[in-house]
Amino acid sequence: MGNKLRIVKIGGNIIDDPQKLEDFLVDFALLTGPKILVHGGGKLATQLSKKLGVETQMVDGRRITTSEDLDIVVMVYAGLINKKIVAGLQGKGCNAIGLSGADAECLRASKRPVNPIDFGWVGDIESVNVPSIRLFLDAGFTPVFCAISHDSKGHLLNTNADTIASELAIGMSGHFETELIYCFEKKGVLENVEDDESVIPHINTARYRELKESGAIHKGMLPKMENCFHALEKKVYRVTIGSPEVLKPGNRLFTTLTL
């Protein structure tokens, strides 16, 4: 094995801010070695839905993806956002290729069961096509994955970008020493959500349970943390959470997770 691979995930806090996105892409393009970028959708899909008169339905902060809504999220995630990011990276000398899970059969998913909540056309990842992704990496491309998968029956599926990043890291870890990096609005996991400087530098499973039980970890962080520890349990080499500054050489303010 020996080869290192970095998988970086960004969300709406970067995507929705043109200057933050530009700054991030500069730093991402400078990363050496094989790398993969995964992005969410930000607010654009909701804004477009409103313009088109399609009501966005949410349950516990998660989008219900109707057939109409799926068309919109595919247009925005796999189209507008993905291609803007790819073009931005090309302008910085990073030979990126924009992908959904359907392209080269990279990410196969199954439609989420309708019980207890029917989320519509939402997918849960079943398999990662490592040989296809390796072809892109070996050819010198940087894959940029949007939050869209497919079910191999002709249906596209809206899929959580944090989960896609985690599953990609797990799938590739048999061939690379894989580091999974989640970039979000904070400098790391915080001891006190009101204090941006209270970054916890290291969290293992026992510490995570303590923070979870005490309520110190904000509920919005819980799904992200579950993805992190799931990846570590499946032999991903390293998982890091922090602001985009985590990509800058010499930065020391972030959270590293270990078992």
Side-chain angles (χ1 to χ4, degrees):
M1 197 163 59
N3 290 339
K4 293 185 178 181
L5 170 68
R6 278 178 282 200
I7 298 176
V8 182
K9 187 268 174 179
I10 56 172
N13 68 298
I14 296 172
I15 293 166
D16 295 332
D17 186 318
Q19 189 57 57
K20 284 183 180 178
L21 180 58
E22 173 67 15
D23 292 344
F24 168 82
L25 294 179
V26 168
D27 291 334
F28 181 81
L30 290 173
L31 292 178
T32 57
K35 56 196 174 188
I36 295 173
L37 180 59
V38 180
H39 65 83
K43 298 174 183 175
L44 285 175
T46 302
Q47 292 169 354
L48 183 57
S49 294
K50 189 174 181 180
K51 287 180 181 178
L52 296 175
V54 177
E55 183 182 353
T56 300
Q57 303 171 59
M58 307 288 284
V59 175
D60 296 329
R62 296 183 179 183
R63 181 188 294 270
I64 302 292
T65 307
T66 64
S67 294
E68 272 187 315
D69 213 34
L70 181 65
D71 287 346
I72 292 168
V73 298
V74 171
M75 283 190 286
V76 174
Y77 298 177
L80 182 60
I81 294 174
N82 189 265
K83 299 314 168 194
K84 278 189 172 181
I85 289 173
V86 169
L89 288 173
Q90 294 292 0
K92 293 160 184 60
C94 177
N95 196 4
I97 181 167
L99 300 168
S100 73
D103 296 300
E105 238 266 289
C106 284
L107 296 167
R108 185 186 298 178
S110 58
K111 187 174 178 291
R112 187 170 296 170
V114 298
N115 289 316
I117 299 170
D118 185 359
F119 281 101
W121 294 103
V122 168
D124 296 312
I125 300 296
E126 284 189 336
S127 63
V128 174
N129 190 335
V130 176
S132 286
I133 298 169
R134 284 209 65 170
L135 283 174
F136 293 119
L137 293 171
D138 291 344
F141 293 112
T142 294
V144 178
F145 281 97
C146 65
I148 299 292
S149 61
H150 82 124
D151 65 358
S152 77
K153 301 173 185 175
H155 296 117
L156 295 170
L157 297 165
N158 187 10
T159 305
N160 181 273
D162 283 348
T163 302
I164 285 178
S166 175
E167 294 297 333
L168 280 168
I170 292 166
M172 303 306 292
S173 64
H175 300 265
F176 294 89
E177 188 179 273
T178 304
E179 179 179 7
L180 174 59
I181 303 169
Y182 285 109
C183 290
F184 75 142
E185 65 273 16
K186 303 295 184 182
K187 294 178 180 178
V189 180
L190 304 179
E191 188 90 48
N192 176 5
V193 293
E194 304 299 324
D195 180 5
D196 283 348
E197 301 303 314
S198 64
V199 175
I200 305 169
H202 177 253
I203 299 175
N204 59 18
T205 308
R207 179 72 170 132
Y208 171 53
R209 290 198 192 101
E210 290 173 9
L211 292 165
K212 188 176 176 181
E213 288 170 10
S214 70
I217 292 181
H218 190 271
K219 65 181 180 180
M221 278 294 296
L222 292 176
K224 193 181 295 289
M225 297 287 281
E226 292 294 336
N227 278 317
C228 290
F229 281 103
H230 175 61
L232 289 167
E233 287 165 2
K234 296 293 185 179
K235 309 303 181 187
V236 171
Y237 173 70
R238 185 183 184 197
V239 179
T240 301
I241 298 178
S243 72
E245 296 291 312
V246 74
L247 300 187
K248 291 185 179 294
N251 180 67
R252 293 288 179 266
L253 202 55
F254 52 81
T255 301
T256 299
L257 285 77
T258 63
L259 292 177

